[in-house]
Amino acid sequence: MKDHNLQVSLTETRRAALMTVDTQSPVSVVIDCDAGNEIDDQFAIAWSLLRQDRLDLQAIYAAPYTNAFFENQDGEPTRVEHAAEGMKRSYDEILRVLSLMDATNTVPVLKGSEHYLKDMQEIENSPAVNDLINRARNAEKPLHVVTIGAPTNIACALLLAPDIAINIHVLWLGGHSQDWYDTEEFNLMQDMPASRVLLDSGVALTLFPCMGVTNTLATSIPEMQFYLLNTSRIGDYLANLAPTFNWITFASRKVMWDIANIGYLLEPSWFRCSLESSPVLNDNLTWSRDDRRHNIRIVRYIERDHLFKDIFRRIMDADKK
């Protein structure tokens, strides 16, 4: 790979139009996620399938991840050391969620990149990347690309086919708020070159910062079990899955980061946002500002309860005909 400073051919007018969510009819959506890593991706997938009145979920892509730089409660390294392993675990978990919702044959699931951009000499054209390129080129209306993991797959697609930017809106959960002291965030720091592609390219982008914004989307094991246990197959699965994550410790809560992007597509009025120059990602994992850069939408505030009321109710009623 030779150039991370990709500039897509997109006018400000077209970029603004792509970032505008149609609230009158279902919007076209693909999800790119690292479902093997935590539990919030599973909630996001389930919610998307349960809101077909608003979302036309067309495909799900398995994103790579590694988490060996984290430690568990015993001080031992956690599970995944290689991006390919993380991607495959994500692929399997996506299929598991779909099977619980009788959706295995209705939504295509495609394997994504086995390497981060920083780990390879050439851009990886995975099944997920190829599908996104083809789907975007044939889109008759904006394709909303929900990116809730390392943005490797999306960056590869943009680098291989810059023309797809004319039809896509990327909604990325990445980095921290610009007034946070750093931006050492899981999705962003796994693949900084891919993160820079999203921020520097000019693609229509809505950014969901973690600390300072989406960290308000917190729940707990007792709350999840109170609402979801013995309600539906997917509800039981999620309620029983939560206690297996040993970082959800006594009296602590779990932030459901990844539901933010789906919530925005369902109801933008639940969010407060601003249009600002795309931030510059520095090598030391901090932000810089340059007002000469193109605008992106940055989420600033989320009405937390609106999202959880809807997602809990939909999952509770998932098996009702």
Side-chain angles (χ1 to χ4, degrees):
M1 184 177 57
K2 298 180 179 180
D3 186 8
H4 284 297
N5 297 313
L6 166 72
Q7 284 292 318
V8 302
S9 179
L10 200 63
T11 66
E12 287 292 342
T13 300
R14 180 59 180 169
R15 186 180 295 112
L18 289 166
M19 290 191 292
T20 301
V21 177
D22 182 1
T23 58
Q24 303 304 310
S25 59
V27 296
S28 301
V29 179
V30 295
I31 296 176
D32 185 84
C33 65
D34 55 353
N37 186 48
E38 289 199 77
I39 192 174
D40 46 347
D41 303 84
Q42 293 89 323
F43 273 85
I45 294 168
W47 200 13
S48 302
L49 291 166
L50 294 167
R51 288 303 310 266
Q52 295 182 44
D53 59 314
R54 288 286 301 124
L55 306 180
D56 174 19
L57 180 58
Q58 298 184 357
I60 305 177
Y61 308 139
Y65 74 90
T66 49
N67 58 15
F69 49 87
F70 290 134
E71 292 184 346
N72 64 22
Q73 288 176 291
D74 299 322
E76 297 296 328
T78 52
R79 303 172 302 281
V80 179
E81 294 186 1
H82 303 289
E85 180 188 355
M87 184 278 293
K88 291 172 184 174
R89 290 191 181 209
S90 296
Y91 179 81
D92 291 341
E93 182 65 10
I94 294 165
L95 291 177
R96 186 174 296 112
V97 172
L98 294 185
S99 69
L100 290 166
M101 304 187 70
D102 295 326
T104 304
N105 297 320
T106 60
V107 181
V109 181
L110 297 109
K111 292 182 177 179
S113 301
E114 295 188 349
H115 308 275
Y116 301 128
L117 287 178
K118 61 187 177 184
D119 291 337
M120 54 198 302
Q121 298 301 315
E122 296 181 358
I123 303 162
E124 189 174 357
N125 189 2
S126 65
V129 169
N130 188 56
D131 183 85
L132 176 57
I133 291 171
N134 291 335
R135 201 172 293 276
R137 283 176 171 167
N138 291 296
E140 296 182 355
K141 59 182 181 179
L143 178 64
H144 300 278
V145 183
V146 171
T147 309
I148 47 180
T152 310
N153 293 333
I154 314 309
C156 286
L158 283 166
L159 290 165
L160 289 168
D163 60 288
I164 67 173
I166 196 66
N167 283 334
I168 69 171
H169 169 214
V170 179
L171 300 94
W172 181 41
L173 182 93
H176 296 318
S177 172
Q178 289 183 71
D179 55 7
W180 203 253
Y181 51 84
D182 63 33
T183 191
E184 295 183 9
E185 181 274 325
F186 183 70
N187 293 340
L188 178 150
M189 65 192 293
Q190 288 183 97
D191 196 344
M192 287 182 64
S195 300
R196 286 191 171 116
V197 168
L198 296 195
L199 295 164
D200 297 350
S201 65
V203 70
L205 175 65
T206 295
L207 182 64
F208 295 77
C210 290
M211 298 307 297
V213 181
T214 56
N215 64 304
T216 60
L217 298 175
T219 185
S220 65
I221 291 174
E223 184 176 42
M224 284 187 274
Q225 293 188 331
F226 178 82
Y227 287 114
L228 302 181
L229 201 59
N230 300 319
T231 59
S232 64
R233 284 182 297 164
I234 186 64
D236 280 353
Y237 176 70
L238 295 171
N240 287 305
L241 181 64
T244 67
F245 292 94
N246 57 17
W247 56 83
I248 311 178
T249 55
F250 174 78
S252 65
R253 297 184 296 172
K254 174 68 186 79
V255 178
M256 296 297 176
W257 315 96
D258 294 345
I259 69 171
N261 312 50
I262 301 301
Y264 187 83
L265 291 175
L266 291 175
E267 188 49 71
S269 67
W270 294 344
F271 297 73
R272 299 292 178 270
C273 308
S274 59
L275 283 177
E276 299 185 28
S277 300
S278 183
V280 177
L281 175 57
N282 300 317
D283 290 340
N284 65 349
L285 289 167
T286 61
W287 295 124
S288 291
R289 179 168 179 148
D290 182 347
D291 288 336
R292 295 169 296 179
R293 287 161 62 87
H294 64 282
N295 284 338
I296 65 171
R297 180 190 289 117
I298 300 178
V299 176
R300 296 297 185 185
Y301 173 78
I302 305 173
E303 293 282 357
R304 180 266 183 203
D305 289 356
H306 291 325
L307 278 72
F308 277 96
K309 287 177 181 177
D310 193 87
I311 195 169
F312 280 158
R313 173 51 61 189
R314 302 286 174 167
I315 293 174
M316 289 167 65
D317 294 343
D319 291 346
K320 295 182 179 178
K321 302 299 182 182

